[in-house]
Amino acid sequence: MLNRPVIDGYEFAAARSRLSGVWPIGDFARLGSLLSSHAGAVEYTLEGAPDTQDRSALHLRIRGALQLRCQRCLTPLELPLQIDAVLVLARSEAEIGALPAEAAGPDWVVATKAMQVHELLEDELLLAVPYAPRHERCAAQAKAASGASVSPFASLRGMLKAPATDARSKRS
C-alpha cells in the first residue's frame, strides 16, 4: 500500500511547503481505462507559493510518460508528460463560480484541510490525455495514404462490365 499524502491546502501554501516523490501509474484508477499499459511511474513536485497576483496557490510539476493506445492503428503510443500547473486556492465552489471565466487564466481548486495529493495528480494527468490520442505518423495513416487513389468500387465496376459483354456475345 502506497503512502498517500494529505495536505491542508492553505497551510501548505502559506508555509511554502514542498512535497515530491514518485507515484506508480497503476495506482491511478480513473486513468486506468485510458491506458494500454499500467507500467511506469510519474515524478511529481508540489509546492505552496503565491501566484502572480499574490493569491494562495499550489504549483504542481509532473514528469513521466503514459502508455496510451493510438486511435488510428490501435497500437501502443507513449505520451511524454511535462506538466507545470498552477492551482489557485479557493474556499468554496461558489467563490470559483463568482469569478469571471478566463481562457488563459489559472486553474482554481477548492482548498480543504484534507486535500489528497493523489487526486490532484490524477486530475492533472487526466487533463493531459488527448481526447483521441494518435501517432503523428502510424501504419494506419500510411496504409490509407497508399490506397487513397483506388476507388473501393473499382472491382465492382469490373464485375458489372464483364457479364454485359458475355450476354451480347451470346445473342449474336
Side-chain angles (χ1 to χ4, degrees), residues 58-140:
L58 302 174
H59 294 253
L60 178 61
R61 283 183 286 290
I62 304 173
R63 304 287 181 260
L66 297 177
Q67 302 302 317
L68 306 175
R69 186 162 312 283
C70 174
Q71 296 302 301
R72 278 191 192 126
C73 65
L74 301 178
T75 61
L77 162 72
E78 182 174 276
L79 176 69
L81 296 172
Q82 289 195 1
I83 300 169
D84 289 309
V86 176
L87 306 170
V88 180
L89 302 178
R91 299 208 183 274
S92 67
E93 289 285 340
E95 181 182 342
I96 295 171
L99 297 167
E102 300 175 38
D107 292 327
W108 289 79
V109 64
V110 175
T112 64
K113 291 194 177 290
M115 295 178 75
Q116 296 281 334
V117 172
H118 174 267
E119 289 181 16
L120 292 173
L121 291 170
E122 190 167 25
D123 288 346
E124 290 303 317
L125 290 171
L126 286 165
L127 289 171
V129 174
Y131 179 72
R134 297 178 291 196
H135 293 109
E136 283 187 37
R137 297 184 197 267
C138 64

